[in-house]
Amino acid sequence: MAIRIYPKKHIKKARAGNGEEILKRLEEYLKNGSGKPIQILCGFWKDQSEAITYQELREAVKEGFLNEATFQEWSKDYSVLVRDQLSYLWKDALAAGSVSQPITAGLAAYTFNVETPAIMTWIAGHSAEFVTASVVEQKEAIKALLARSVVERHSVDELARFIRPCIGLTKPQAKANFRYYENIVKTLKEQHPRMKQDSIQRKAREAAAKYAEKQHRQRALTIAMTEMAAAYNKGADEGIRQAQEQNLIGKVIKRWSTSGDDAVCGQCNALEGLEIAMDSAFPFKGNWHTGDNLTPPAHPRCACAVEYIEESPLVYVKEN
């Protein structure tokens, strides 16, 4: 499955330093590296939807909730996904980010270790966060489809058949898909009054399932862009720290860099050009993750980066 990303045209503003070069490298990496995680995620959600039985879905509709054992199974699924596939993609992004800074470009002796305790701790914490957030999103989506207001308008069999293709969607996506389904049912009834109810529901489900495929790809794209950017920017930060540990560069400050065009959100635009110490957190808010705010992204699909600037170069003293 190929996902083609067409960048929008926006008016760019001039900037100081190497921010433009650094952002271009990040953009290129995301463009070339997002296809694989998108394919992995879409396949993963398809497997999840096929694993749950029609009888389990019928029981969920009748009870008004999906049993906790299913959510625990999904949590295990996501843990395996991270361990066997996503963690390796994160490591690749970390390594790519580690060589993205011009400040380290001319350091012949510079080496980057992706297995340091700091990186392994970050991957472990990020993995747990990713698994928890993903399961919660799916849980909320299913909960929305099993709400009383929904169940009262539709039969158990109808909803059980509808829910399966929506597994893996977020709550807003699932609700949008159900509105789409109901609108198609309504339209078919109006335009084809003699069509049987079963045929109407089947046609509406088929259309909604195709819509769900598009929604899955959009969600996978959001996750891929965000996760790869997070690991890439973390790699840049860790690369600078390792270069300092190797006594190759001195004291460094960091500067937030946005794309500089009119597509930048207000929060990131306010951070543009902000210079702070290496261990200081950038002042952005959001409940989409529980990171330490040392590096971008500030929100899903954030394409900002950080430029690291050597403030106090190392001074080498020749021995007599």
Side-chain angles (χ1 to χ4, degrees), residues 195-206:
M195 184 180 290
K196 293 182 179 180
Q197 182 71 5
D198 286 347
S199 296
I200 289 175
Q201 291 178 359
R202 177 175 52 79
K203 289 180 178 296
R205 282 199 307 272
E206 290 173 352

Side-chain angles (χ1 to χ4, degrees), residues 34-293:
S34 295
K36 188 172 182 180
I38 289 171
Q39 185 177 14
I40 290 171
L41 288 165
C42 287
F44 172 79
W45 292 322
K46 187 175 186 297
D47 290 343
Q48 277 195 326
S49 68
E50 292 176 350
I52 191 167
T53 67
Y54 174 63
Q55 184 59 36
E56 288 174 323
L57 291 172
R58 288 187 84 261
E59 290 299 320
V61 174
K62 288 192 292 184
E63 296 293 335
F65 60 88
L66 200 57
N67 64 64
E68 193 61 32
T70 300
F71 296 120
Q72 292 176 1
E73 195 64 34
W74 284 352
S75 182
K76 293 178 183 177
D77 291 343
Y78 272 105
S79 296
V80 172
L81 173 70
V82 170
R83 184 194 67 200
D84 293 349
Q85 299 191 72
L86 296 187
S87 62
Y88 293 100
L89 297 180
W90 291 341
K91 287 184 178 180
D92 288 343
L94 283 158
S98 73
V99 293
S100 65
Q101 295 291 317
I103 190 176
T104 58
L107 302 177
Y110 170 65
T111 59
F112 181 73
N113 181 4
V114 78
E115 303 286 345
T116 64
I119 289 179
M120 300 310 293
T121 297
W122 181 83
I123 290 177
H126 197 65
S127 299
E129 180 182 289
F130 179 85
V131 170
T132 299
S134 298
V135 175
V136 168
E137 281 186 324
Q138 287 190 196
K139 190 173 185 177
E140 291 299 312
I142 299 300
K143 183 179 178 181
L145 296 177
L146 297 177
R148 179 175 295 181
S149 59
V150 174
V151 174
E152 288 177 348
R153 301 198 305 271
H154 302 274
S155 70
V156 171
D157 288 344
E158 181 185 8
L159 285 177
R161 290 189 175 95
F162 170 82
I163 290 173
R164 176 179 276 116
C166 291
I167 291 174
L169 298 181
T170 63
K171 180 179 178 180
Q173 285 181 317
K175 293 174 72 173
N177 193 286
F178 194 66
R179 288 194 298 270
Y180 179 73
Y181 169 81
E182 288 190 314
N183 286 336
I184 292 177
V185 170
K186 180 181 177 182
T187 300
L188 287 174
K189 285 182 178 180
E190 293 173 349
Q191 296 180 352
H192 306 279
R194 300 180 64 181
M195 184 180 290
K196 293 182 179 180
Q197 182 71 5
D198 286 347
S199 296
I200 289 175
Q201 291 178 359
R202 177 175 52 79
K203 289 180 178 296
R205 282 199 307 272
E206 290 173 352
K210 290 182 180 179
Y211 179 34
E213 289 180 3
K214 294 181 180 179
Q215 290 177 301
H216 278 114
R217 288 195 294 271
Q218 283 302 308
R219 187 188 175 203
L221 174 60
T222 295
I223 291 175
M225 298 284 282
T226 308
E227 290 297 314
M228 302 303 279
Y232 185 96
N233 281 301
K234 182 64 179 178
D237 181 88
E238 183 62 21
I240 295 298
R241 295 177 189 278
Q242 291 190 23
Q244 288 176 322
E245 290 173 0
Q246 295 166 32
N247 293 319
L248 297 175
I249 56 176
K251 184 180 179 181
V252 169
I253 60 172
K254 55 188 179 184
R255 175 193 292 152
W256 188 280
S257 295
T258 71
S259 62
D261 59 36
D262 55 357
V264 178
C265 71
Q267 177 176 240
C268 292
N269 194 49
L271 294 171
E272 167 63 31
L274 177 63
E275 295 181 359
I276 59 177
M278 271 286 290
D279 293 322
S280 296
F282 285 103
F284 61 81
K285 297 181 180 179
N287 59 2
W288 71 277
H289 80 137
T290 57
D292 50 21
N293 288 24

Side-chain angles (χ1 to χ4, degrees), residues 247-251 310 312-318:
N247 293 319
L248 297 175
I249 56 176
K251 184 180 179 181
E310 192 171 22
S312 302
L314 291 174
V315 178
Y316 295 94
V317 180
K318 292 184 178 180

